[in-house]
Amino acid sequence: MAEKAKLYYFDGRGLMESIRWLLTVAGVEFEEVFLKTREQYEQLLKDGALMFQQVPLVEIDGMKLIQTRAILNYIAAKYNLYGKDLKERVMIDMYVEGIRDLMDLLIKHPFLPPAEKDSNTKLIQTKAVDRYFPVYEKALDQSGGGYLVGSQLSKADVQVFEVVLMVEEKFPSILSNFPQLQAFQTRMRSVPAIQKFLQPGSQRKPQPDDNYVKTVREVLRF
């Protein structure tokens, strides 16, 4: 039996959540070490585990991997979630980098000063409806196979689905004018690994709360 991957991060979504999603869809079991104190973080630095003094950190296949995109690319390439050729791969990367822009707004939101949160919430909604969702709506309409790229599930599908769910948490009816994304969401929910991941008690993390924000600030001192 393959050794479980080990994830070092906070007990919350942040940059690690996309990695949790992709490992789940790939069928890779993982355990987590939650950073709760500055001392834990400093020990990782002392051990030389954090190349750029940053988390997420993932131990997998005898390696210590950092940098979110590099980790996601490794998982996708190893577990056949990265297209069948270079042309599909570059399209997958384009779709992922696009949705990453929207995800960054969502990830930083809990850390913003209260006075900036309303404007950031409106920005998320505007960018989702006007810039990003129309692109994925069109791609799904043209693909004809139910996937964003090619004829099989890829990391682009997983990450777009993840972000759509995050945006829906703030705007429950945001997909009302995007029928292809609605159908896509239904299909993704039917994937057995995703179905299980969406159930209570899974390793999926809830929306960030004040305690999560406090812990991140204390550990990273910002």
Side-chain angles (χ1 to χ4, degrees), residues 12 33 51 70 90 105 134 158 162 201:
V33 177
M51 186 183 294
V90 74
L105 293 175
V158 179
E162 177 194 355

Side-chain angles (χ1 to χ4, degrees), residues 151-192:
S151 59
Q152 64 185 33
L153 189 69
S154 75
K155 72 167 183 166
D157 299 300
V158 179
Q159 290 191 247
V160 168
F161 178 62
E162 177 194 355
V163 175
V164 167
L165 291 181
M166 291 170 70
V167 175
E168 273 193 321
E169 288 173 339
K170 294 186 178 297
F171 311 101
S173 61
I174 200 162
L175 291 184
S176 59
N177 293 321
F178 299 99
Q180 293 291 340
L181 277 170
Q182 290 179 47
F184 168 76
Q185 187 183 69
T186 300
R187 286 192 299 273
M188 292 296 287
R189 285 182 180 274
S190 70
V191 175

Side-chain angles (χ1 to χ4, degrees), residues 116-129:
E116 296 179 20
K117 286 191 174 181
D118 282 349
S119 61
N120 191 64
T121 298
K122 290 174 184 175
L123 183 61
I124 291 168
Q125 182 180 30
T126 300
K127 286 200 169 186
V129 171

Side-chain angles (χ1 to χ4, degrees), residues 2 4 11 22 26 31 40 48 53 63-64 67 95 100 111-112 132-133 136 140 154 165 174 186 188 192 199 201 222:
K4 288 183 179 180
D11 188 6
L22 205 60
E31 58 188 40
Q40 285 177 288
Q53 302 175 24
M63 299 182 291
K64 287 180 167 63
Q67 294 297 323
Y95 289 140
R100 190 81 228 175
F111 298 93
L112 293 174
Y132 297 109
F133 286 5
Y136 302 113
L140 289 165
S154 75
L165 291 181
I174 200 162
T186 300
M188 292 296 287
Q199 296 302 309
F222 76 92

Side-chain angles (χ1 to χ4, degrees), residues 8 14 38 42 55 57 64 69 85 104 158 171 187 194 214:
Y8 295 80
R38 177 73 182 182
E42 289 178 345
V55 288
L57 165 67
K64 287 180 167 63
R69 288 175 176 82
D85 55 32
D104 286 345
V158 179
F171 311 101
R187 286 192 299 273
I194 290 176
K214 180 174 179 287

